[in-house]
């Protein structure tokens, strides 16, 4: 399982971390419009899970989706270009942060609607397998999403039809400002178990632990097992959304934030590398991101004349809104 | 020539497409035993991999279909009740419809949503009698409402082959229509192309779905007094505006009869689109459900809320009253 | 607990049974238009649960809802008039079988959308209690409904906010033609437990057992307990809907039907009465239903001019559909 | 006079109604800390029994509100994103709306659904930028789209006091509008009553929501050439047709500018309703989103899909080109 190679795992969490920090800078600079939902602090989950997947396996992400897209192998430069709304972006600048997708590496998209992606991924994995491909999938969602009926329906469908989907709950303690205890009656793992799905809690701050749990589940799924759930306990280091950088919302006690931030997946995984290894990765990541930002900024904005490109895959021409 | 019923036409379309294209599969509630009759025989013929009975989880199975479509399949989802489309509105409108643009063209979501028995099913009352096709025309999802068995076959086949989501409404009021058909001549009917069902000179009546038959009956009845042209758009979105303009340009008068609610319904759209382009000799009229309609249970009340022949006749008289 | 009086319980199941049989006759005669979903065989559940409730308590029913409405105390004559679409019906002939409601006895309606009523009832009970009324509620639904996300969301909301709602699952083995094992991954009680809700299985064919379970739950809820679930195992004696009387659908093995019908709640409860008691109840029920049918048939149909009466409670006048 | 912002006007309306009527309560996501700002201060002032933060269970809490309304309360439900209305479409349209008729008048469902920030919020892209008011006008749910702080206050108050469900859209494009206001004069604004925002003789422009401000700007710009009357319907359903007819009867020309999709949108409804009643001197025009619009992320694309001043100006020129 070379993908669990500590250096690679470190590279992924470091890449996501620095990508996010760069992206936040670009939000502040007004280059990225609309803001982002930073994944800071949660990098170990995307990294650990995606390291257990193959290129042909499928994933869906969330509104907090940059980590998922990057960890699954999307090009950071085209991802950054997407956030900057450029023609060279993964989605030709049509998607932005919450819809970034790269079907070529199995990313069916971040998704701006909480709880919506689970059933989509289930259908996609089922379809690929029906066509004879040995594919599994992972769908990421937050602790808030387990209160969405549509996700619970997806649990049932996947369990019933034994579709090999890893349901990855990123429990960062809050849905925006709502603490998990104020929203989730019972437990998150209990909700999976209710549908006959194995469920485990894992330390989301440790990329290797996440990877181990995901790899075990994926292994069982490839051997013909049904869906499973992993609840990765984590902490969001930054704002729910960058708008909180401007408008202060009061909902997390400062001590909690400090404690939460003290277990840093980048530091935890970095600690497993020698200083030299770490420095080499850091330098390489920095170079990659320098190039990514430069690429994004040098890329053209899309031509407004193509605003409705791809509205219909069939090529149907939509009537314009003008008189 | 053999007689083909509307319902059997749907079955035949499904069977032909299942046979033709491995990517096509059906899912929905009770479709194995074909509670709605539409999938009769298909489970036996095509097996459980192609005909999937679902739990009562409309949102999940609708999005499951989206996911399967993104991954290369061509699902057909049957809904037992028109209002189930309300329940999956987000899944269709906010996801299936938006994926191609939002991903910058990385994918397509060719899903067909089939509603056998839309509109009033007498005695099924408020929550089972909606006719929400105008909602889909508003959001811009291809929307077909076939009136005849031939079109039911042809539009459903085209829907399944279409690369974007398509909703096919099969009005309850049309399900029992039968037609003499040369089976060999059954063919796809292009989406977005209407048809003149009856030629006339004095007024163009646009009728949607089962109301095409009412419009034809009214036209016959009025034959001595008014020469009525009946235009069946067949697809509400995209709408065959060129076809309709050609008709209205000749008759100079327009009546639309449509079984959805009045405000922002397809009748409003048709009238607006025509008056933007074609001068009329008299103000256009529409015959629809009332604003905000909820169908009451008692049959007499249920009928009172639906557009009918008497109201259509009155509308025709209104637009033609200043002579032709 | 006089309501658990065996004679009263018997009267209720007998009333529902004979009401349904009369209604089916009227469907066959064409008097009841649109058909019904017969509750035959499941009478013990509505009877047992509603006997544990007070007049001011609230219930919601299902598409198979006649039993719920009658057991909670609605007038059989006005109910029959409703099914016949008469002006004197509970809903003035506007609702019919699937929407029959009697707010005066706490029936917020049968409901034609599977899984939809749970959250509505939860809100209604919460509201009444916030206004200081000592009210609990019961919401009935089938085994199919536990796959609807909206119902599972309601489980969470009720559990979270500790709204005293008894979730009554009538597990009759099928959702239309879909066997429960083909639709429900895991268990029904497990789905409630996942939300921290106590859940019990009870023999739905025995009205007294249902009553005992419901009364115990309602007692806990009145003492400040949160919501609970009861799964009543039952069997539908007749068709999913009367259209099956005309069109045969093949999905239940004949032996299963025979076995299912052998445990008859009316006979089980009747067996607890003396012959004389039973005969007296039967005669009284028959007289009530004779009167109900006569009342319904003698009642006028609503005037089509009032087809849109009550469309808006505010009195807003809807624009007509005519030219 | 003090300045009132649109957002603060909403807050004030909620506060006033919470204070006035014990039956009013709020529920929604993150409303305690007022993530959308609209409920700022209300949790502190009115407490957890009146200001309820919900789990992410839109369907359940929307129906919870229905149930509470049936039991005598007057809930206000805040939605963070316009497309969440798609997710609860069934709960609103098939339940809250239908209860009074289906029960034969046994109940009412006075729920207010508030969407602060409808339409494009630049940079929020495809799934967060819908403006689905025409859908609600179609199904017949009272639909208000206030353009100004005074109306935001007055329409929200009226919505809460109304005995049927009401959806209030607060367009993102209007949230930052400010107005000099005499606070004592703030009052309910009747639902279903439009207002002439600017008098003119040559053409009536109907503008919805934030587009009222664009229409006024365009009218100013054109002041020398064309005399533009700007009509703000304020409520889309019921629509103040009498008010608009009076305007159009004078000007004889009609342009509608509306931020929802073209097909079956409110612009189509307005045009259809007018041409049924008022003869026009030139074909009416509409400026809308395109058919089936999905808003792309990049700001230049996002803007290109929305109706704007240039398109409105062009439309005005078109309808007035044959002279006035
Ligand atoms: C269905 C839906 N409801 C509400 C929102 C608005 N919203 C976006 S993110 C979010 C919180 C999500 O919380 P969680 O699932 O825990 O994920 P996290 O943000 O913590 O990563 C909310 C309420 C949405 N996008 N979709
Ligand atoms: C949301 C929804 N989906 C589908 C239907 C159509 N339908 C009506 S009853 C029914 C089966 C319900 O099964 P169950 O919940 O077990 O109740 P039962 O009929 O067995 O009493 C179905 C599929 C519906 N009315 N509502
Ligand atoms: Mg969270
Ligand atoms: Mg059942």
């Amino acid at each position: 399982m070379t993908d669990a190679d500590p250096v690679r795992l470190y590279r992924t969490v470091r890449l996501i971390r620095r990508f996010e920090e760069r992206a936040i800078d670009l939000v502040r600079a007004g280059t990225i419009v609309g803001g982002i939902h930073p994944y800071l602090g949660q990098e170990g989950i995307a990294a650990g899970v995606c390291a257990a997947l193959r290129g042909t396996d499928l994933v869906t992400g969330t509104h907090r989706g940059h980590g998922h897209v990057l960890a699954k192998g999307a090009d950071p430069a085209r991802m950054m270009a997407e956030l900057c709304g450029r023609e060279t972006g993964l989605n030709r600048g049509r998607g932005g942060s919450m819809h970034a997708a790269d079907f070529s590496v199995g990313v069916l998209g971040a998704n701006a609607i909480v709880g919506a992606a689970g059933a989509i991924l289930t259908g996609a994995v089922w379809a690929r397998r029906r066509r004879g491909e040995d594919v599994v999938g992972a769908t990421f969602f937050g602790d808030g999403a387990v209160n969405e009926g549509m996700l619970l329906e997806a649990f049932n469908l996947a369990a019933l039809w034994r579709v090999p989907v890893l349901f990855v709950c990123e429990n960062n303690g809050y849905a925006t400002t709502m603490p998990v205890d104020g929203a989730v009656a019972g437990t998150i793992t209990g909700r999976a178990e209710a549908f006959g799905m194995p469920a485990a809690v894992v330390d989301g701050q440790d990329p290797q632990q996440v990877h181990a749990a995901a790899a075990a589940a994926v292994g069982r799924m490839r051997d013909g097992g049904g869906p499973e759930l992993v609840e990765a306990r984590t902490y969001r280091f930054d704002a729910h959304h960058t708008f909180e950088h401007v408008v202060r919302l009061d909902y997390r006690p400062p001590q909690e934030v400090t404690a939460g931030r003290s277990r840093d997946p980048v530091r935890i995984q970095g600690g497993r590398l020698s200083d030299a290894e770490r420095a080499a990765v850091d330098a390489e990541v920095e170079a990659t991101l320098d190039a990514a930002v430069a690429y994004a900024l040098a890329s053209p904005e899309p031509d407004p004349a193509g605003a409705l490109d791809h509205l219909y895959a069939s090529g149907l021409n939509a009537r314009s809104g003008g008189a | 020539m053999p007689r083909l019923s509307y319902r059997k036409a749907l079955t035949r379309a499904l069977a032909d497409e299942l046979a033709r294209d491995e990517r096509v599969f059906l899912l929905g509630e009770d479709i194995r035993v074909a509670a709605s009759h539409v999938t009769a025989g298909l489970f036996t013929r095509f097996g459980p991999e192609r005909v999937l009975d679902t739990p009562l989880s409309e949102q999940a199975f609708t999005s499951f279909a989206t996911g399967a479509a993104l991954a290369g399949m061509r699902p057909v989802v049957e809904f037992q009740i028109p209002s189930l489309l309300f329940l999956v509105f987000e899944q269709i409108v906010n996801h299936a419809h938006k994926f191609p643009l939002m991903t910058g063209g990385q994918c397509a979501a060719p899903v067909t949503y089939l509603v056998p028995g839309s509109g009033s099913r007498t005695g099924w009352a408020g929550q089972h009698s909606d006719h929400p096709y105008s909602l889909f025309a508003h959001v811009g999802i291809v929307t077909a409402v076939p009136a005849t068995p031939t079109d039911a076959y042809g539009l459903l086949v085209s829907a399944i082959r279409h690369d974007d989501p398509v909703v096919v409404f099969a009005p309850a009021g049309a399900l029992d229509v039968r037609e003499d058909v040369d089976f060999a001549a059954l063919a796809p009917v292009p989406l977005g192309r209407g048809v003149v069902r009856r030629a006339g000179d004095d007024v163009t009546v646009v009728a949607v779905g089962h109301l095409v038959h009412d419009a034809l009956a009214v036209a016959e009845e009025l034959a001595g007094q008014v020469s009525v042209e009946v235009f069946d758009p067949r697809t509400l979105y995209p709408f065959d505006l060129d076809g309709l303009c050609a008709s209205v340009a000749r008759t100079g008068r327009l009546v639309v009869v449509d079984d959805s609610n009045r405000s922002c319904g397809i009748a409003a759209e048709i009238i607006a689109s025509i008056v933007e382009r074609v001068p009329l000799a008299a103000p256009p009229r529409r015959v629809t459900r009332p604003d905000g309609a909820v169908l009451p249970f008692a049959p007499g009340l249920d009928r009172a809320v639906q557009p009918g022949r008497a109201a259509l006749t009155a509308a025709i008289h209104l637009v033609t009253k200043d002579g032709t």
Side-chain angles (χ1 to χ4, degrees), chain A, chain B:
Chain A
M1 229 175 285
T2 52
D3 277 333
D5 171 47
V7 179
R8 275 201 66 148
L9 268 184
Y10 175 70
R11 184 186 182 280
T12 308
V13 292
R14 176 82 190 178
L15 175 75
I16 301 172
R17 169 68 49 92
R18 293 293 298 139
F19 184 94
E20 292 295 75
E21 289 170 346
R22 296 289 189 112
I24 290 171
D25 289 344
L26 291 172
V27 169
R28 291 219 168 91
T31 311
I32 294 178
V33 175
I36 64 167
H37 298 84
Y39 195 60
L40 298 172
Q42 308 185 196
E43 300 90 342
I45 306 170
V49 169
C50 290
L53 300 175
R54 300 178 184 155
T56 49
D57 291 332
L58 302 176
V59 306
T60 54
T62 67
H63 54 286
R64 199 177 303 292
H66 305 172
H68 313 128
V69 178
L70 291 171
K72 190 64 175 52
D75 175 6
R78 295 194 56 214
M79 177 70 178
M80 195 61 90
E82 186 57 33
L83 301 194
C84 296
R86 306 302 162 117
E87 182 67 30
T88 55
L90 290 172
N91 306 28
R92 297 190 59 208
R94 270 75 180 165
S97 170
M98 288 198 290
H99 305 299
D102 187 349
F103 277 56
S104 73
V105 295
V107 179
L108 306 190
N111 198 308
I113 302 302
V114 173
I120 293 173
L121 186 78
T122 303
V125 170
W126 177 90
R128 285 281 156 82
R129 293 178 72 84
R130 240 212 60 188
R131 307 183 75 168
E133 299 171 36
D134 175 21
V135 159
V136 304
T139 180
F140 297 88
F141 51 88
D143 48 282
V146 300
N147 303 312
E148 292 285 358
M150 52 190 166
L151 181 63
L152 299 172
E153 288 187 5
F155 284 9
N156 188 47
L157 219 55
L160 205 58
W161 294 346
R162 294 184 69 73
V163 185
V165 170
L166 185 60
F167 289 93
V168 183
C169 181
E170 307 187 318
N171 180 356
N172 61 9
Y174 290 86
T176 314
T177 67
M178 167 62 97
V180 65
D181 288 343
V184 177
T187 63
I188 293 172
T189 51
R191 293 191 184 187
E193 286 156 359
F195 298 91
M197 219 191 280
V201 174
V202 65
D203 176 3
Q205 300 314 91
D206 183 342
Q208 284 188 190
Q209 283 193 44
V210 174
H211 175 262
V218 165
R220 286 187 293 271
M221 296 195 308
R222 286 205 206 283
D223 290 345
E228 304 198 11
L229 179 137
V230 172
E231 176 189 346
R233 296 268 172 84
T234 185
Y235 198 76
R236 157 160 71 68
F237 285 9
D238 195 354
H240 168 67
H241 181 273
T242 47
F243 73 68
E244 275 187 68
H245 294 168
V246 188
V247 183
R248 202 184 129 70
L249 299 179
D250 195 18
Y251 60 96
R252 300 201 300 186
Q255 323 82 285
E256 180 195 290
V257 177
T258 309
R261 285 198 185 134
S262 72
R263 300 206 56 250
D264 181 336
V266 178
R267 243 177 313 121
I268 289 172
Q269 190 61 24
R272 293 175 178 139
L273 273 56
S274 70
D275 289 353
E277 281 173 327
R278 205 169 48 241
V281 169
D282 290 356
E284 189 255 318
V285 162
E286 225 49 40
T288 301
L289 289 173
D290 286 344
V293 171
Y295 176 79
L297 297 183
S299 292
E301 289 176 6
D303 179 354
L308 295 181
D309 284 0
H310 316 298
L311 177 55
Y312 293 103
S314 59
L316 176 68
N317 252 319
R319 205 166 33 154
S320 106
Chain B
M1 270 202 287
R3 302 277 287 168
L4 178 65
S5 80
Y6 191 112
R7 227 187 272 264
K8 287 249 169 65
L10 295 173
T11 310
R12 204 180 173 93
L14 294 175
D16 285 358
E17 291 307 294
L18 281 163
R20 199 184 59 82
D21 186 345
E22 264 296 319
R23 298 169 304 172
V24 176
F25 71 100
L26 318 184
L27 77 173
E29 289 155 5
D30 308 298
I31 62 173
R32 275 192 319 207
V33 304
S36 73
H37 308 307
V38 169
T39 52
L42 301 181
F43 179 73
T44 313
R45 180 163 164 208
F46 295 99
E49 291 268 287
R50 310 286 302 283
V51 181
L52 277 77
D53 251 6
T54 61
L56 270 72
S57 308
E58 289 82 5
Q59 299 192 305
F61 69 68
T62 300
S63 281
F64 180 95
T66 305
L70 295 178
M73 307 289 285
R74 295 191 165 264
V76 180
V77 187
E78 186 191 296
F79 293 99
Q80 292 188 341
I81 318 168
S83 64
L84 295 182
L85 292 176
F86 299 157
L87 196 53
V88 299
F89 205 68
E90 198 278 334
Q91 284 73 18
I92 297 177
V93 174
N94 213 24
H95 282 89
H97 172 57
K98 291 181 177 174
F99 256 102
L101 185 139
M102 291 195 310
T103 59
Q106 294 183 53
C107 58
V111 184
T112 301
Y113 311 100
L114 175 62
V115 188
S118 55
S120 165
R121 292 187 268 188
T122 315
W124 288 76
Q127 290 179 324
H128 276 56
S129 300
D130 302 274
H131 227 155
Y133 46 71
S134 298
L135 295 173
F136 289 92
H138 179 60
V139 294
I141 289 180
V142 176
T143 305
V145 193
T148 67
T150 309
D151 277 359
Y153 177 89
L155 289 167
L156 181 52
V157 165
S158 294
I160 296 171
R161 298 185 190 176
H162 192 70
D163 281 338
D164 286 308
V166 181
V167 187
V168 179
F169 289 91
L175 285 180
D176 294 325
V177 173
R178 278 153 206 282
E179 215 179 359
D180 290 322
V181 166
D182 172 4
F183 285 109
L186 284 173
V189 169
L191 300 167
R193 198 82 60 73
V195 64
V196 173
R197 292 274 176 212
R198 181 187 193 281
D201 298 317
D202 298 338
V203 56
T204 302
V205 171
V206 182
V208 174
H210 61 294
L211 294 170
V212 167
H213 306 289
D214 293 295
L216 290 169
V218 166
E220 257 343 292
E221 243 174 70
L222 295 180
Q225 310 158 53
V226 191
S227 169
V228 176
E229 176 143 317
V230 176
F231 184 84
D232 172 2
R234 306 199 284 200
T235 315
L236 302 184
Y237 181 85
F239 190 90
D240 183 2
L241 194 53
D242 289 338
L244 178 58
C245 281
S247 170
V248 178
R250 278 195 304 100
T251 64
R253 291 180 157 80
L254 174 65
V255 171
V256 186
V257 57
D258 138 43
D259 188 38
S260 74
N261 293 354
R262 192 176 194 79
S263 175
C264 299
I266 193 70
E269 174 57 36
I270 292 169
I271 288 177
S273 290
I274 287 296
V275 298
E276 284 166 345
R277 293 176 46 166
V278 185
L280 294 175
R285 300 284 165 183
R286 46 186 164 160
V287 179
T288 63
R289 291 189 181 191
D291 277 350
V294 176
L295 262 56
F297 166 66
L301 304 182
D302 174 296
R303 267 192 308 276
V305 177
Q306 293 175 67
R309 294 184 187 185
L312 175 56
T313 306
I316 292 170
H317 284 313
L318 261 178
V319 299
T320 54
K321 71 167 179 289
D322 353 291
T324 45

